[in-house]
Amino acid sequence: MKNYNIVLLKGDGIGPEIVNEAVKVLDRTADKFGFTVTYDEALLGGCAIDATGVPLPEETITKCKASDSVLLGAVGGPKWDNQPGNNRPEAGLLGIRGALGLFANLRPAVIFEPLRNASPLKPEIIGDAMDIMIVRELTGGIYFGKRGNFDEDGVPAAYDTEKYNVNEIERIARVAFDMAMKRNKKLTSVDKANVLDSSRLWRKTIIKISEEYPEVELNHLYVDNCAMQLVRDPKQFDVIVTSNIFGDILSDEASMISGSIGMLASASLNSTKCGMYEPIHGSAPDIAGKGIANPLATILSVAMMLRYSLDEPEAADAIEKAVSEVLKTTRTPDIYTEGTTKVSCSEMGNAVCSLI
Ligand code: IPM
Ligand code: MG
């Protein structure tokens, strides 16, 4: 029987509760589809700072590198707000992305039919469905560029640098074009080429790679226009490819449009099969430990893991189907509406398991 080694980075806040439910669902899926999973845990974020003084201990990197994939809960919280920038929980997250070479971040923004009314946009704007895949470059750009603080004629100043090289743009472009080929063959590349040299290189490189994908219809938007178009007419988008910082911003916007921030999963991939999977929402320290967090985004992250890293597409389908089904009747408080049953985080995990 096939066995997969998964590292759990439960992290902070609601991280441990939601990861525990996702593990329940993965175990249930393993039983059903005939494979086994062994787990190892490692520290990342605030919990790692508390235990070791740093947000990304060396041991965590070693364990993740040796795994078949990594499941992450969430990191951060007010407790660590006074840490210096390079020792914050978020620095640990950037560090693990860099250490594992996770350059491609897939962030689907979808509307689940039973949650259609949760979108803040009018029904006629949303249309029948919203299904956008944001492909965000994750290990380059201003997040990883040269930065510093300096004295500018007696005035404290700071800078961060947006930099991409052609290789970095080409590899993320291929991920996005491949994704477009599997979907509706429509790709929007987002940049700020009217202002930034790095964006002009981005656009030129995307156009060059598009020659390898003659079937994909490619268009380009400036990031400010894209932000506007997302709320004006989200239906026009299928796959969006963009830089690290633009992807950070646009993926939050897209998740809000779906109205389902507690529902959205993400995958971060490198050039091997090993990926890191996590919900797109944060650690929600205000509700941590209360047992009311919504574990569905983490459960759906497990589905992405099964699809993109473990080659178990049927198991992935089964989880996604169970989640669609469970939403008809069963809700955690964040998505509760009258006529459905309000459940706790662990009851939600059990409900999903019972449908697999
Ligand atoms: C995200 C988050 C992170 C990012 C933070 C927590 C460092 O906002 O995954 O989108 O900016 O990449
Ligand atoms: Mg973000």
Side-chain angles (χ1 to χ4, degrees):
M1 209 187 276
K2 254 198 194 153
N3 180 64
Y4 302 109
N5 293 310
I6 303 301
V7 169
L8 305 175
L9 304 175
K10 294 185 176 178
D12 310 316
I14 59 171
E17 341 171 11
I18 55 180
V19 168
N20 289 344
E21 296 317 305
V23 165
K24 261 189 210 167
V25 173
L26 182 53
D27 283 338
R28 169 80 192 115
T29 320
D31 281 350
K32 173 101 191 228
F33 290 89
F35 57 90
T36 54
V37 185
T38 47
Y39 300 96
D40 197 357
E41 285 191 34
L43 296 171
L44 179 76
C47 60
I49 297 174
D50 290 348
T52 70
V54 293
L56 175 58
E58 210 46 55
E59 191 192 13
T60 297
I61 300 177
T62 313
K63 282 183 174 180
C64 291
K65 279 190 174 160
S67 75
D68 290 309
S69 266
V70 179
L71 182 64
L72 169 63
V75 298
K79 183 175 174 195
W80 304 281
D81 273 351
N82 293 326
Q83 289 285 330
N86 61 1
N87 210 55
R88 291 178 59 100
E90 292 83 354
L93 185 56
L94 298 186
I96 192 77
R97 287 173 181 168
L100 301 180
L102 303 169
F103 68 89
N105 184 213
L106 310 182
R107 297 193 165 187
V110 295
I111 290 192
F112 298 83
E113 178 51 33
L115 298 180
R116 257 182 91 168
N117 294 334
S119 172
L121 296 188
K122 295 193 189 93
E124 63 267 30
I125 292 180
I126 289 297
D128 290 337
M130 168 176 163
D131 184 352
I132 300 174
M133 177 66 87
I134 297 186
V135 179
R136 169 188 177 194
E137 200 291 326
L138 202 61
T139 53
I142 199 164
Y143 275 59
F144 288 84
K146 214 173 149 212
R147 67 180 50 151
N149 291 275
F150 65 106
D151 179 291
E152 193 177 53
D153 304 328
V155 182
Y159 69 97
D160 302 89
T161 323
E162 173 81 350
K163 186 218 71 165
Y164 275 107
N165 68 38
V166 165
N167 295 342
E168 291 169 317
I169 305 169
E170 285 186 353
R171 67 181 180 180
I172 193 71
R174 290 206 171 87
V175 171
F177 278 105
D178 286 339
M179 181 62 67
M181 284 301 288
K182 288 191 206 131
R183 294 171 48 111
N184 297 319
K185 303 191 175 152
K186 192 164 179 273
L187 177 64
T188 303
S189 172
V190 176
D191 61 37
K192 189 72 186 172
N194 50 346
V195 177
L196 304 176
D197 272 332
S198 52
S199 277
R200 286 188 272 270
L201 183 68
W202 178 278
R203 191 176 285 214
K204 195 171 132 193
T205 309
I206 297 277
I207 291 171
K208 187 180 108 196
I209 299 300
S210 74
E211 287 162 15
E212 297 168 22
Y213 298 86
E215 285 177 57
V216 176
E217 182 197 325
L218 170 68
N219 72 322
H220 305 271
L221 287 182
Y222 298 138
V223 62
D224 48 349
N225 187 17
C226 181
M228 183 189 73
Q229 295 296 336
L230 272 169
V231 286
R232 195 187 70 84
D233 179 21
K235 297 189 295 295
Q236 70 183 287
F237 294 106
D238 184 28
V239 181
I240 293 176
V241 62
T242 192
S243 65
N244 204 341
I245 193 162
F246 295 161
D248 177 45
I249 298 164
L250 294 176
S251 62
D252 262 27
E253 187 187 5
S255 71
M256 188 64 227
I257 294 168
S258 85
S260 309
I261 179 111
M263 299 290 307
L264 299 179
S266 76
S268 301
L269 307 174
N270 57 24
S271 45
T272 73
K273 276 261 154 193
C274 171
M276 187 165 86
Y277 296 83
E278 61 185 294
I280 67 153
H281 60 69
S283 61
D286 51 318
I287 60 162
K290 295 191 179 154
I292 56 170
N294 181 350
L296 291 176
T298 319
I299 290 171
L300 290 167
S301 299
V302 165
M304 289 188 92
M305 177 191 287
L306 289 162
R307 193 179 308 288
Y308 293 109
S309 286
L310 308 184
D311 278 328
E312 299 282 354
E314 284 146 25
D317 287 345
I319 292 178
E320 284 164 2
K321 225 176 117 227
V323 169
S324 298
E325 199 54 36
V326 88
L327 282 172
K328 292 180 185 160
T329 56
T330 313
R331 306 282 179 88
T332 42
D334 55 312
I335 50 173
Y336 173 76
T337 47
E338 229 173 279
T340 60
T341 308
K342 198 187 281 182
V343 297
S344 68
C345 181
S346 71
E347 285 167 337
M348 183 56 105
N350 296 343
V352 173
C353 286
S354 73
L355 291 167
I356 291 174

